[in-house]
Amino acid sequence: MSLRCFSKMSNAFQSQNITTVGRGLLERLMFSFLTSVPCCVFLFINVTMLFTLRSKPVFRETSRYILLYNLLFADTVQMALSQLLYILVFCRLRLTYPVCGALVMLAVLTKEISPLTLVVMSLERYVAVCYPLRHATIITIRNTGVAICVIWTISSLNVLTQVLLMIHVFHFEDRVSFQMKDFCGKESILLDPISDLYEKAYTFFLFISAGTAVISSYIGVIVAARSASTDKASARKARKTLLLHLVQLGLSLSSTIHNPLLLFFAKNLDRVMFVRIQIVIYIFIIILPRCLSALIYGLRDQTIRPVLMYHICCQRRCLT
């Protein structure tokens, strides 16, 4: 009798374990689906926008479109890397330290490109409104290329500094294997408090500088708009564009509060609710801001919009 009871209990526990494992796998698949679908849609829009900006000479030979391409390229790479790391965590896959370090550093590199590019785009609009006669001589394709090289150099130096700090505390001789015990993420790579302090200081300096530059450009355009010699329509359009740049900058800054928000909700919510909140935060703070540039310029710019819609509709006639 006892053996029969024990057998029934054993079967019940096995059935419960199988049900729990199956439910956990189903949850992971569902949550991965919920994040992957919006990301794939946004990636499609961004990639189509990138293709659009290389499809016609007017886009390839105009400085603001070249800068927009640089901004979109960095946002698209950042979005793809964020989704890749997110899927790796949800699938509970652990990488080696070198592979994870390369992915994290590439994500850091592309994340810093956006605010710097927004600064240059804001200055371009400022020059276009305040110095219209000198705009063609100041904002040239060559100078735009130099500005983009400077942007990538500054971001690369920041990544190099973080890599050096990471190597400083990463004792290779103490590690038998390069296999990570934790999931891949910035917190798993940048273990030194000095690295964390440096990152916070650099991010604070970057966004304060970028915000100051964008706001100064906006004030300069407002002042210039009061002049009788300034094109009112051009100044009004530039003012709206600079406000959008400021919003984009704020959304880029919002990604820095992603991890603190997760830590706060993890301490105060149960697991199911936390996962739901995590998905919402991830989509609206990490994914959506990386697609706003394509949506804003694709819908506002009268030169881009018809070409973008043409490519989104797979070269078929779209309703306008």
Side-chain angles (χ1 to χ4, degrees), residues 115 119 205-217 246 249:
V119 168
F205 174 78
L206 175 66
F207 281 98
I208 288 296
S209 302
T212 302
V214 175
I215 292 173
S216 299
S217 300
L246 197 59
L249 189 64

Side-chain angles (χ1 to χ4, degrees), residues 266-313:
K267 295 177 181 178
N268 296 278
L269 297 175
D270 60 89
R271 180 182 175 277
V272 176
M273 185 58 67
F274 169 71
V275 172
R276 293 172 181 173
I277 295 294
Q278 183 183 21
I279 292 174
V280 173
I281 292 175
Y282 174 74
I283 292 175
F284 283 94
I285 291 184
I286 301 296
I287 297 298
L288 183 59
R290 304 299 171 185
C291 187
L292 278 182
S293 299
L295 292 175
I296 289 171
Y297 287 94
L299 296 177
R300 288 184 72 248
D301 196 289
Q302 298 299 322
T303 306
I304 296 177
R305 183 166 59 184
V307 185
L308 176 64
M309 295 303 297
Y310 176 74
H311 290 303
I312 285 180
C313 295

Side-chain angles (χ1 to χ4, degrees), residues 186-239:
K186 189 188 299 183
E187 295 75 16
S188 304
I189 295 295
L190 303 177
L191 304 174
D192 189 16
I194 298 179
S195 300
D196 182 61
L197 181 62
Y198 168 79
E199 183 191 9
K200 290 179 179 178
Y202 178 83
T203 302
F204 178 79
F205 174 78
L206 175 66
F207 281 98
I208 288 296
S209 302
T212 302
V214 175
I215 292 173
S216 299
S217 300
Y218 180 76
I219 294 174
V221 169
I222 291 177
V223 172
R226 297 177 180 176
S227 173
S229 60
T230 303
D231 185 357
K232 304 299 181 183
S234 176
R236 185 168 57 252
K237 186 176 180 180
R239 208 162 57 238

Side-chain angles (χ1 to χ4, degrees), residues 91-110:
C91 294
R92 298 181 179 179
L93 297 176
R94 291 175 174 83
L95 304 177
T96 60
Y97 279 99
V99 174
C100 179
L103 291 176
V104 170
M105 289 301 107
L106 183 58
V108 171
L109 172 65
T110 52

Side-chain angles (χ1 to χ4, degrees), residues 51-70:
F51 179 79
T52 300
L53 291 173
R54 303 301 298 173
S55 62
K56 291 184 176 295
V58 65
F59 300 137
R60 298 193 297 267
E61 298 171 3
T62 305
S63 294
R64 65 193 181 101
Y65 293 134
I66 296 173
L67 290 169
L68 177 59
Y69 184 91
N70 184 65

Side-chain angles (χ1 to χ4, degrees), residues 5-56:
C5 292
F6 179 78
S7 178
K8 289 183 178 180
M9 290 174 61
S10 177
N11 292 334
F13 283 130
Q14 288 179 2
S15 177
Q16 184 177 1
N17 289 335
I18 292 173
T19 303
T20 303
V21 172
R23 186 180 300 170
L25 178 61
L26 183 62
E27 285 182 357
R28 289 201 297 272
L29 290 175
M30 182 182 66
F31 292 143
S32 297
F33 177 80
L34 290 175
T35 57
S36 297
V37 169
C39 184
C40 289
V41 172
F42 293 154
L43 280 174
F44 171 74
I45 295 173
N46 275 23
V47 171
T48 305
M49 185 72 167
L50 288 172
F51 179 79
T52 300
L53 291 173
R54 303 301 298 173
S55 62
K56 291 184 176 295

